[in-house]
Structures are given as structure tokens and as C-alpha cells.
Amino acid sequence: MSRFTPTLTTVLVLVGVALVAIVAIVVLAPRVGIPELGLSTTPGPDYALTVDPPPVAADPPARGIAGLVDAAWVARVSAASGIPARALAAYAGAAI
């Protein structure tokens, strides 16, 4: 027989859940602008920062996605694996 009644067990479980929730809120609360923690009190920008455009890739030597793959690599892997060079170049170009 249990030493706690069902009502007392329910109350204890609810108190435990409430304590876990309070600890989670306190630990996970944002701490913006608290000088004691060494955090900045100035707000961040409210706009997107500008970035440099991505580098432009060189023109592929052949048309389509197969032209993105190195021809020497295609020849070497095709000979070693038995996969047709055209199919290998297409699959590798799609993966790139």
C-alpha cells in the first residue's frame, strides 16, 4: 500500500512540474543589457547588415551540369568503376 494518497501524489507532481518550469524560465530567460554579466546595453541593429556578394564561378568548359566536373576526374573514375563517363559527369555535376 502506498504511503501517499492519490491527491497528495498529484499535488506533489504538480509542484515538481511547476518548479521545473520556473527553473527553466529563469535559466533560459534572455539576459540583454545586464552589465553585471558583461553583456552590452546597446541594442543591435534593426536592419540587415550588408555583406559582400558571393564570388562568381568560372564559366564551365562544357554546357549543362556535366561541365562543372573535372574531365580528368571523370575519365579516371569512369575507368576505375565502369560507370559511363557521360552518366558519371551528369551525376557529379548534379551533386556539385
Side-chain angles (χ1 to χ4, degrees):
M1 188 172 211
S2 176
R3 110 180 196 199
F4 297 114
T5 63
T7 306
L8 182 60
T9 303
T10 304
V11 169
L12 290 175
V13 168
L14 290 176
V15 168
V17 169
L19 286 175
V20 169
I22 290 170
V23 168
I25 290 171
V26 169
V27 169
L28 299 176
R31 291 175 174 80
V32 177
I34 301 175
E36 296 84 31
L37 295 178
L39 300 175
S40 173
T41 57
T42 58
D46 59 350
Y47 54 87
L49 300 174
T50 58
V51 295
D52 295 332
V56 178
D59 292 331
R63 292 178 41 171
I65 59 173
L68 300 174
V69 184
D70 181 36
W73 178 85
V74 171
R76 187 179 73 246
V77 173
S78 175
S81 65
I83 300 171
R86 186 173 169 199
L88 184 64
Y91 280 119
I96 291 175

